[in-house]
Amino acid sequence: MRHTTQIFQVSTLYGAATLAAALDAGLFGPRGGARRVLLVSNNAAVPETALRLDEMRGYAPTAARFDAVVSWNEAISPHHPSSWGPRGHDTVLWQRAFRRAWGIGELDLIELAVESIQVNPARALAAIFSESTIDVYADGLMSYGPTRERLPLAMGSRVRRLLHLDLLPGLRPLLLSEFEVEPVTVPDAAFREVLDAVAADAADDPRLAPVLAEAPTAVLLGQYLAALGILSAEAEEDLHVRMLTGAARAGHRSVVLKPHPTAPVSYSAALSKAAADAGVRLTVLDAPLLAETLYQHCRPELVVGCFSTAMVTASAYYGVPVARVGTGTVLDRLTPYANSNRVPLALIDHLVPDLERDGTPALVGPAPETLGPLVRAIGFCMQPRTYPELRESAADLLRAGGPAVRYVPDLRLAELSLPGSRPRLRAELQIRRAKRLLRRAATRRPA
């Protein structure tokens, strides 16, 4: 008798919580209808020195929904999950090896649920289990942006659903829309129940007690922009200082910095000095906890960040007003233009008040009608070959001016010959292209 095994690939606790909520909501069928395997991947630059998923508080009750847990890092050791993929003619051998290692019958059906299908390890899994159906789940704001890389037709056509949190009600995800993949929302109630269970598991964490004792009213969300090469370490340090200064100016006298779980440990004297100068009590929650766990126990009055998804979850699931700092700085430095952080950054920049410009912190409500066209215009400019049908609507939006102009710089406008580009810049680009073509022709000419 053929059985079905569902493999759920995950690299973050937030992603695991999203999958857990989808399971609880019945989006993967009834419990017992298939064997469920949680495949954990640590994608940090140096996995051996990074926080493991099973070290996060709340992991145990989340993982209890699965019948088995296996490590992708161990399975492909010594290779790195982000860089390793099978050679084309080796996929059958790898599938046979993984079926044996993970206790999957030779004839059992495989269903995959993966994150970031465009890159490894999801892409490697899809290639190895080439007969499987694929569900893609998105654990944050990136679901609203375009597919990062063009997928082979044979792979994209296997994707059945895009599971995502309804963080911005009314905004339809652009991810995988080129394959007409149906977006399916993970119910808010199911996700909140999972977050509550994660928070309850962390209630006795000794590192949480000192933070609660300070009764912070504002949470500063650190990100890992320096580790990704988006900002320098000094610029990221300055970003945190700006967050603290903004919170102090808004009247908060006790704040907590919540570093990103996968960010390298970095806490500078500059932040302590800024707190002292502003007369603010600063605590750092350097513990393996989700930001949402902090919201549950701390009940803050303000959450400040740059463009973290945790800003929107604070608003959507905990009713906490949010404010942004530094989105303009990151917009100026984010490269290449197709960087997958661009749409999340634009969404926060467009929807969340700027704390440094005296913006009043606010809740993020449903998406305005203008947001969908704006996201599609940015998506076209990021991936014009994938979404050529969006060119005209993007051109119309740019021609009308307004917010779209802020998110598409002159160089990108010129590269795509879109309205608003400067004729001189377009001419310079055409000359450069012509010179490149001439150089290529010269190198190929026989001696």
Side-chain angles (χ1 to χ4, degrees), residues 67-82:
D67 300 305
V69 179
V70 295
S71 168
W72 181 245
N73 293 62
E74 292 179 5
I76 65 169
S77 179
H79 302 287
H80 192 283
S82 296

Side-chain angles (χ1 to χ4, degrees), residues 8 44 55 68 85 93 108 127 174 177 192 232 334 359 363 403 411 414 432:
F8 298 86
E55 294 176 312
L93 294 175
D108 285 3
L174 186 57
S177 61
R192 181 57 197 267
S232 66
L334 192 63
L363 299 178
L411 180 60
R432 291 179 199 170

